């Protein structure tokens, strides 16, 4: 039969082992929590900076590995995972030059997640997508629709770095419109478009071309009037 001191020593050792083992479990779990926090912070930073693929990977890592952490500060990881996924789709669509799906995805994002930390950069990207769409319309000579989008951008996204870009692009639009009208013989309307550039956008790169265009259009118009007058006199003489 074992002595009482022996049992006491055994109990102390057991308690010591239990304490050490518990401490080890707590340390491991704290490391687990720290890694979960760090992974969430990395995902959140990537989301804010527009690196949506990295953000998706970090939030997916939380879903796969750290979902048992029960940390309140990372409880919305599934929501952030959905945000990242939607923005990856928008980004991929843009890379493929599919503007409408990209625009729709970002509009959906802002409607569903208006308080997301990524909302400001998404708004900036969306404004640029609309600008790209307007420029495409301008290249296809759909001038009224392009002008409408330029106006919508200014109203919805005011006081941005795009203001000066839109001003230059709008001036280029009226210049291109004037050139097209002049080439088609619609001289009076071409003069109207050139005049808009000269009066409304004198500080844009399109000014000099508009001045040259209006001089050419005005000269051609005067010649056409002289030709009309000469033709009328011939008719009268006959």
């Amino acid at each position: 039969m074992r002595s009482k001191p022996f049992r006491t020593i055994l109990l102390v050792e057991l308690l010591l082992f239990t304490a050490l083992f518990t401490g080890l479990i707590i340390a491991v779990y704290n490391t687990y929590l720290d890694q979960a926090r760090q992974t969430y912070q990395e995902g959140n930073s990537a989301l804010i900076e527009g690196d949506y693929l990295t953000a998706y990977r970090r939030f997916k890592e939380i879903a796969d590995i750290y979902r048992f952490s029960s940390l309140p500060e990372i409880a919305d990881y599934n929501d952030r995972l959905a945000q990242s996924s939607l923005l990856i789709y928008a980004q991929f669509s843009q890379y493929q030059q599919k503007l409408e799906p990209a625009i729709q995805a970002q509009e959906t994002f802002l409607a569903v997640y208006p308080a997301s930390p990524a909302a400001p950069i998404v708004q900036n990207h969306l404004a640029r997508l609309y600008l790209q769409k307007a420029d495409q319309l301008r290249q296809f000579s759909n001038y009224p629709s392009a002008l409408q989008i330029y106006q919508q951008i200014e109203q919805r996204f005011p006081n941005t770095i795009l203001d000066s870009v839109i001003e230059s692009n709008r001036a280029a639009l009226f210049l291109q419109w004037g050139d097209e009208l002049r080439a088609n013989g619609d001289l009076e309307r071409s003069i109207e478009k050139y005049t808009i550039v000269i009066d409304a956008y004198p500080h844009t790169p399109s000014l000099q071309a508009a001045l040259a265009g209006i001089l050419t259009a005005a000269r051609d118009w005067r010649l056409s009037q002289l030709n009309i007058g000469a033709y009328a006199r011939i008719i009268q003489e006959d």
Side-chain angles (χ1 to χ4, degrees):
M1 185 175 179
R2 294 177 179 177
S3 65
K4 192 173 182 179
F6 178 81
R7 291 198 300 271
T8 302
I9 293 173
L10 184 61
L11 179 60
V12 170
E13 290 179 346
L14 181 61
L15 290 174
L16 181 60
F17 174 79
T18 302
L20 291 173
F21 182 76
T22 302
L24 178 62
I25 293 297
I26 292 173
V28 170
Y29 185 66
N30 285 336
T31 301
Y32 176 80
L33 294 181
D34 289 341
Q35 291 175 342
R37 290 191 188 94
Q38 182 179 352
T39 302
Y40 180 85
Q41 291 170 359
E42 290 174 357
N44 218 34
S45 297
L47 184 65
I48 294 171
E49 294 168 1
D51 186 358
Y52 305 128
L53 184 58
T54 297
Y56 179 86
R57 287 170 175 167
R58 294 296 175 271
F59 294 128
K60 188 67 168 61
E61 188 176 343
I62 292 175
D64 293 341
I65 302 175
Y66 302 112
R67 63 183 181 276
F68 304 112
S69 63
S70 68
L71 288 171
E73 59 265 37
I74 69 169
D76 64 346
Y77 68 85
N78 272 323
D79 189 60
R80 297 295 168 87
L81 186 62
Q83 293 181 35
S84 304
S85 179
L86 182 57
L87 293 175
I88 287 173
Y89 172 76
Q91 201 170 57
F92 183 71
S93 297
Q94 184 179 0
Y95 288 154
Q96 291 187 315
Q97 294 299 311
K98 297 179 179 179
L99 292 185
E100 287 302 328
I103 288 173
Q104 186 58 48
Q106 294 196 1
E107 289 283 17
T108 300
F109 178 89
L110 293 175
V112 177
Y113 308 107
S116 169
I121 193 171
V122 172
Q123 285 183 333
N124 183 51
H125 287 163
L126 182 60
R128 293 179 181 276
L129 283 175
Y130 276 119
L131 181 63
Q132 188 176 348
K133 180 179 178 179
D135 290 342
Q136 284 188 353
L137 290 169
R138 173 167 64 90
Q139 295 304 319
F140 286 104
S141 300
N142 192 345
Y143 304 119
S145 296
L147 285 172
Q148 185 177 9
I149 293 178
Y150 287 143
Q151 183 177 3
Q152 290 172 352
I153 295 173
E154 289 180 324
Q155 291 174 347
R156 186 175 174 185
F157 311 100
N159 304 318
T160 68
I161 58 174
L162 295 180
D163 289 345
S164 60
V165 177
I166 292 174
E167 183 179 17
S168 295
N169 288 9
R170 189 185 279 118
L173 180 150
F174 282 112
L175 174 63
Q176 181 179 334
W177 201 349
D179 289 342
E180 187 174 296
L181 290 168
R182 179 164 59 86
N184 292 331
D186 195 343
L187 299 175
E188 292 188 22
R189 290 184 63 206
S190 73
I191 290 173
E192 291 177 2
K193 306 309 177 187
Y194 292 136
T195 301
I196 292 175
V197 179
I198 295 167
D199 292 344
Y201 310 104
H203 303 296
T204 63
S206 299
L207 176 63
Q208 294 302 319
L211 289 170
I214 198 171
L215 289 175
T216 302
R219 181 198 62 198
D220 293 344
W221 182 84
R222 286 194 297 270
L223 287 174
S224 68
Q225 295 303 304
L226 290 174
N227 291 335
I228 291 172
Y231 181 74
R233 286 194 297 272
I234 292 173
I235 295 298
Q236 289 175 356
E237 290 173 359
D238 290 344

